[in-house]
């Protein structure tokens, strides 16, 4: 079934062609960033004399690639808050054939007293509804092609889905799935034969609350992946209050009408089971309604920390003490609130070194009227709000954002930014036009402009298709789906079709891909970091990241864009256990498997 697009909700302009002249796109970017009224032209008509095309160009290719996933939110006109909060997506190589497959989280009917026939938007997939798995059957250098293998993967009806985390918790060399739901969650073990089995009860990671965020990470560096689960709200359908907009319309309630559910940390025993370490680790107090979460070393002490973006509450920076316990340093680090000292409605979060100074920087998405917030790493675990000085404040005040991610989309060596959006409360202009689902908003892509590293600015390049499509976007996953050396995007839409945005130009710059593994069989070392030293420009720092964004999981491989003229001098890997190895310069334009113990100077 091909995705159906409602003309009343979407407007698509003609496709953008790939850029060919980088001197001209730079002039265009600067024109739009600094002189928005100077007559810059962008009508999407293609590259012609006198016109400057963007360095970042995508085409929407879901239907052509066989991705017919359509999210079902089960709304019946009763404005249940949970129906507008999902859902996420994961990229993973579940069958070990070297390319990325796609796992989509599905919704359901919220009210057990209601039948599917009473839903305002009927489901587009056969009943009973399940999460769906699409196998990547692309044969290089052909166009992307996916096959729905949901049934043979053994996926069955399982509840109202929210998010997904990916990690090889049992160290058998195959990625497993942890799915968060409006209760109960699920752990799906990858059998290695193309199917998954539900081992939630056996592993001891069941949770029947409302959870959205989750991430696998090795917090005690013992070689076993532990699991963080972010609790959202204490929510019961029968106790949900009735809320209205400022115009008196019936509307969805916000997080402030409920109490926080509380976060959990599960310690991996190494025998396929987990135990709840939340209290012993110090995570029982100081929590808020968690929507975004990631694990990374925020203070460069060699231990993975946790950052949790909370909805309408102070965020958490759980500093890993290295003894199995954590303390919240968000306030002292400058990460609890924005630069004005105000809590915001945290949705999605991602970490990346956008200014190439070696420190992680954070970007957190928020509610309309607030700004999405850029926290620049200043070193030693301290951060400052650089949102407005980086040019990211203006556009973010006018929309509600969820999924986000740092990504070098044009492979110039500098991280760009993607933000996907969709409201959670009625947008009055859409409601006045009798829009059937008045929450949709366009998504955005921001180019990291050349300049001094500490004073980087971004310019919004969200002109033309596919960025003019207006939908209720939630999850977004980044990955090189066609293995051509640039990052593609998969976006989920609440109550709508999935989108596949194929990168049309990033691979034209020099690039280098890394698939890191350790142990036997090879397991993806979540949290490992790679430092690429070049003869031109600053060193590049990238981590093996699967988490980040909103309710989604990214490509576990590392992709370096080198920029024009640069050559690699050396490669350094810091593994999750703290050991460091160096490697000679790998060949460009391809992916390499890098295994622990095969480098030099292991320390």
């Amino acid at each position: 079934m091909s995705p159906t697009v409602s003309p009343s909700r979407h407007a698509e302009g003609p496709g953008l062609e790939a850029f060919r002249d980088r001197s001209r796109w730079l002039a265009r970017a600067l024109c739009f960033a600094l002189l928005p009224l100077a007559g810059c032209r962008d009508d999407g008509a293609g590259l012609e004399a006198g016109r400057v095309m963007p360095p970042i160009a995508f085409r929407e290719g879901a239907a052509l690639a066989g991705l017919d996933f359509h999210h079902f939110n089960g709304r019946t006109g009763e404005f249940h808050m949970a129906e507008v909060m999902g859902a996420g997506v994961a990229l993973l190589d579940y069958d070990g054939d070297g390319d990325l497959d796609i796992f989509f989280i599905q919704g359901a009917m919220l009210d057990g007293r209601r039948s599917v026939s009473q839903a305002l938007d009927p489901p587009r997939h056969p009943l009973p509804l399940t999460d769906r798995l699409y196998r990547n059957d692309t044969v290089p250098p052909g166009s992307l092609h996916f096959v729905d293998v949901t049934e043979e993967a053994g996926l069955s009806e399982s509840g109202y889905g929210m998010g997904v985390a990916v990690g090889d918790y049992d160290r058998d060399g195959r990625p497993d799935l942890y799915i968060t739901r409006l209760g109960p969650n699920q752990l799906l073990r990858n059998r290695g034969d193309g199917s998954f089995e539900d081992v939630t009860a056996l592993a001891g990671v069941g949770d029947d609350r409302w959870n959205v965020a989750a991430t696998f990470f090795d917090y005690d560096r013992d070689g076993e992946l532990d699991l963080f689960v972010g609790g959202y709200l204490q929510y019961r359908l029968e106790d949900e209050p009735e809320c209205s907009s400022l115009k008196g319309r019936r509307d969805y309630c916000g997080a402030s009408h409920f109490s926080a559910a509380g976060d959990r940390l599960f310690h991996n025993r190494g025998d396929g089971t987990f135990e709840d370490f939340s209290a012993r680790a110090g995570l029982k107090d100081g929590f808020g309604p968690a929507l975004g979460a990631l694990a990374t070393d925020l203070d460069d002490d060699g231990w993975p920390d946790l950052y949790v973006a909370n909805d309408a509450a102070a965020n958490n920076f759980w500093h890993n003490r290295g003894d199995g316990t954590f303390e919240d340093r968000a306030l002292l680090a400058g990460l609890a609130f924005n630069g004005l000292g105000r809590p915001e409605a945290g949705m999605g979060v991602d970490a990346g070194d956008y200014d190439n100074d070696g420190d992680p920087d954070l970007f957190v998405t928020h509610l309309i009227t607030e700004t999405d917030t850029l926290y620049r790493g200043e070193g030693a675990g301290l951060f400052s709000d650089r949102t407005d000085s980086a040019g990211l404040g203006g556009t973010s005040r006018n929309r509600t954002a969820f999924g986000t991610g740092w990504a070098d989309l044009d492979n110039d060596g500098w991280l760009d930014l993607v933000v996907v959006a969709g409201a959670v409360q009625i947008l009055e202009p859409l409601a006045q036009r009798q829009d059937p689902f008045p929450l949709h908003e366009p998504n955005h892509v921001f180019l990291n402009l050349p300049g001094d590293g500490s004073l980087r600015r971004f310019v919004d390049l969200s002109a033309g298709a596919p960025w003019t499509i207006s939908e209720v976007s939630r999850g977004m996953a980044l990955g090189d789906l066609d293995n051509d050396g640039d990052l593609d995007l998969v976006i989920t839409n609440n109550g709508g079709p999935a989108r596949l945005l194929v990168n049309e130009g990033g691979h034209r710059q020099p690039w280098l891909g890394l698939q890191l593994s350790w142990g036997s069989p090879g397991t993806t070392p979540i949290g490992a970091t790679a430092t690429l030293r070049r003869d031109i420009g600053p060193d590049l720092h990238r981590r093996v990241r699967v988490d980040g964004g909103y309710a989604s999981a990214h490509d576990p491989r590392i992709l370096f864009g080198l920029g024009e003229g640069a050559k690699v001098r050396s490669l350094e890997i810091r593994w999750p256990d703290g050991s460091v190895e160096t490697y000679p310069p790998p060949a460009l334009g391809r992916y390499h498997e890098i295994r622990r113990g095969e480098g030099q100077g292991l320390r």
Side-chain angles (χ1 to χ4, degrees):
M1 181 186 302
S2 298
T4 301
V5 179
S6 169
S8 65
R9 290 176 50 194
H10 306 88
E12 297 192 35
L16 291 176
E17 295 180 14
F19 72 98
R20 291 183 174 86
D21 188 338
R22 295 187 64 84
S23 64
R24 293 168 64 200
W25 73 249
L26 177 55
R28 176 189 183 275
L30 290 172
C31 181
F32 275 94
L34 305 176
L35 299 171
L37 301 178
C40 297
R41 300 181 62 186
D42 182 20
D43 55 13
L47 183 61
E48 298 177 7
R51 291 205 182 126
V52 181
M53 298 308 298
I56 297 175
F58 289 87
R59 63 174 173 84
E60 208 292 307
L64 186 63
L67 285 181
D68 62 355
F69 178 79
H70 198 285
H71 180 257
F72 177 74
N73 58 23
R75 65 190 184 101
T76 58
E78 297 180 3
F79 293 89
H80 297 306
M81 181 187 177
E83 68 194 21
V84 296
M85 298 304 292
V89 58
L91 303 182
L92 71 160
D93 183 7
Y94 87 100
D95 52 1
D97 65 351
D99 53 31
L100 293 172
D101 313 295
I102 307 178
F103 185 85
F104 290 103
I105 301 298
Q106 185 59 285
M109 293 298 294
L110 276 169
D111 191 340
R113 299 167 297 180
R114 300 274 188 172
S115 67
V116 173
S117 63
Q118 293 175 286
L120 295 179
D121 305 303
R124 307 295 178 87
H125 295 283
L127 299 179
L129 291 174
T130 70
D131 303 323
R132 304 199 76 81
L133 177 64
Y134 290 79
R135 186 181 66 219
N136 191 338
D137 278 358
T138 304
V139 178
S143 300
L144 281 166
H145 178 63
F146 292 87
V147 176
D148 189 335
V149 292
T150 301
E151 186 174 348
E152 63 188 74
L155 303 178
S156 59
E157 185 178 15
S158 50
Y160 204 101
M162 287 289 157
V164 57
V166 176
D168 182 10
Y169 82 95
D170 54 359
R171 292 197 303 171
D172 63 358
R174 300 185 289 264
D176 309 299
L177 297 164
Y178 188 79
I179 303 166
T180 60
R181 303 191 185 276
L182 184 59
N185 295 348
Q186 277 184 296
L187 176 61
L188 299 183
R189 178 180 176 272
N190 189 336
R191 289 192 177 105
D193 60 0
S195 68
F196 292 82
E197 62 177 326
D198 189 333
V199 295
T200 312
L202 177 65
V205 290
D207 194 328
D208 60 1
R209 306 166 305 153
W210 186 0
N211 302 288
V212 177
T215 181
F216 286 101
F217 75 121
D218 184 8
Y219 80 89
D220 52 1
R221 302 197 328 190
D222 65 351
E224 309 286 349
L225 285 179
D226 310 298
L227 176 65
F228 171 81
V229 180
Y232 186 37
L233 300 174
Q234 297 181 28
Y235 178 88
R236 286 164 46 91
L237 209 64
E238 54 270 30
D239 297 333
E240 189 170 17
E242 185 171 310
C243 296
S244 300
S245 70
L246 294 176
K247 296 288 186 178
R249 295 182 186 273
R250 180 76 186 275
D251 207 345
Y252 293 100
C253 295
S256 60
H257 289 83
F258 307 89
S259 299
D263 303 332
R264 288 185 176 173
L265 180 66
F266 293 98
H267 175 254
N268 191 334
R269 292 189 177 103
D271 60 0
T273 68
F274 294 76
E275 56 184 320
D276 191 335
F277 259 47
S278 308
R280 275 181 277 182
L283 268 62
K284 275 293 187 182
D285 301 317
F287 55 77
L291 283 179
L294 59 81
T296 190
D297 185 0
L298 291 173
D299 50 9
D300 197 31
D301 66 353
W303 293 87
D305 308 301
L306 276 169
Y307 186 79
V308 183
N310 293 313
D311 191 0
N315 300 321
N316 301 118
F317 164 20
W318 292 111
H319 166 69
N320 189 340
R321 290 190 177 108
D323 60 0
T325 67
F326 294 78
E327 63 175 329
D328 189 1
R329 290 188 177 178
L331 186 60
L332 292 176
L335 290 173
F337 308 109
N338 66 11
L340 298 176
R342 298 171 182 166
E344 297 177 295
M347 310 289 191
V349 58
D350 199 20
D353 184 13
Y354 82 94
D355 51 5
N356 285 338
D357 66 349
D359 298 315
D361 311 296
L362 294 174
F363 187 77
V364 186
T365 57
H366 295 118
L367 197 66
I368 191 170
T369 72
E370 302 174 342
T371 65
D372 299 335
T373 304
L374 171 62
Y375 296 101
R376 180 177 183 265
E378 305 292 350
L382 300 177
F383 295 80
S384 62
D385 185 341
R386 297 294 184 95
T387 307
D388 287 326
S389 64
L392 293 168
T395 57
S396 63
R397 290 182 176 90
N398 301 319
R399 45 107 170 108
T400 295
F402 277 81
T404 189
W406 294 109
D408 184 1
L409 298 174
D410 56 353
N411 281 346
D412 67 347
W414 298 92
L415 292 178
D416 309 300
L417 189 62
V418 182
V419 179
V420 303
V424 292
Q425 293 174 317
I426 289 175
L427 299 173
E428 188 61 27
L430 297 179
Q432 290 178 1
R433 298 201 298 264
Q434 305 298 309
D435 191 285
F437 196 27
L439 304 178
H440 57 85
E441 298 176 292
N443 300 322
H444 291 264
V445 59
F446 297 92
L447 174 71
N448 190 340
L449 289 174
D452 180 77
S454 62
L455 300 174
R456 307 290 299 185
R457 286 184 61 83
F458 293 82
V459 59
D460 191 344
L461 293 186
S462 311
W467 307 105
T468 50
I469 302 174
S470 186
E471 293 173 307
V472 188
S473 297
R474 293 294 181 256
M476 187 272 292
L478 294 153
D480 186 1
L481 291 165
D482 46 11
N483 286 336
D484 67 347
D486 54 27
L487 291 172
D488 310 298
L489 313 177
V490 180
I491 299 171
T492 64
N493 292 299
N494 184 280
R499 297 292 179 183
L500 169 60
L501 272 57
V502 182
N503 194 328
E504 297 268 74
H507 59 277
R508 301 184 185 187
Q509 288 265 60
W511 62 276
L512 170 64
L514 305 177
Q515 172 71 63
L516 273 57
S517 66
W518 66 340
S520 181
T523 295
T524 298
I526 291 175
T529 58
T531 299
L532 194 70
R533 307 195 191 283
R534 300 178 292 174
D535 62 343
I536 300 175
D539 296 341
L540 301 178
H541 308 272
R542 304 288 185 263
R543 67 187 174 97
V544 177
R545 61 98 181 262
V546 178
D547 57 12
Y550 177 78
S552 298
H554 303 295
D555 186 344
R557 298 172 298 180
I558 290 176
L559 181 61
F560 284 106
L562 271 69
E564 294 180 351
K567 296 181 180 180
V568 179
R569 291 193 291 110
S570 67
L571 174 68
E572 181 179 284
I573 306 295
R574 175 186 281 187
W575 299 95
D577 63 0
S579 60
V580 177
E581 287 181 284
T582 59
Y583 297 81
L588 302 184
R590 53 170 290 201
Y591 283 92
H592 300 262
E593 183 179 10
I594 304 293
R595 297 185 60 89
R596 185 182 183 278
E598 296 180 355
Q600 301 171 354
L602 183 65
R603 60 185 190 277

